[in-house]
Amino acid sequence: GQVQAIGASNTILAQITKDYPQLNIETKIILKEQGNGMAFRKSDTALQEYANKFIAEIENNGELNAINKRWFGTELKKLPPMPQF
């Protein structure tokens, strides 16, 4: 009962909120959002294409949003476009 504000990453905040729902933690300010991604060897184009197709499919059918809500308790924001190298 002594802390009125905390700073945490979305993964830590999701776990604290899950473990201690009685704290009624609310997100007030987002300082920075960080995207996550995967990396592949340049020669591994088949795996990259498979992963991109899979992610696009579960984003389009709503499954990716459901996974995000289950683990982080929030709606998934629109994914940024894939970078071209």
Side-chain angles (χ1 to χ4, degrees):
Q2 298 177 2
V3 176
Q4 294 187 15
I6 62 170
S9 69
N10 65 329
T11 54
I12 298 299
L13 187 58
Q15 190 64 50
I16 293 171
T17 301
K18 181 181 173 187
D19 291 346
Y20 304 98
Q22 71 277 13
L23 295 177
N24 298 316
I25 295 173
E26 296 179 53
T27 300
K28 298 293 186 180
I29 299 170
I30 296 174
L31 299 176
K32 182 178 180 183
E33 292 183 341
Q34 177 180 338
N36 295 304
M38 296 181 285
F40 304 97
R41 289 185 297 248
K42 286 186 179 187
S43 62
D44 218 343
T45 56
L47 181 58
Q48 178 187 3
E49 289 171 9
Y50 174 83
N52 286 341
K53 182 180 175 188
F54 176 76
I55 292 168
E57 183 179 312
I58 66 172
E59 179 187 18
N60 289 334
N61 70 18
E63 187 178 350
L64 188 59
N65 186 53
I67 292 167
N68 197 77
K69 285 171 58 175
R70 183 175 67 227
W71 287 100
F72 302 112
T74 61
E75 297 283 331
L76 182 66
K77 294 182 181 178
K78 179 81 175 128
L79 295 178
M82 292 291 200
Q84 301 298 315
F85 298 103

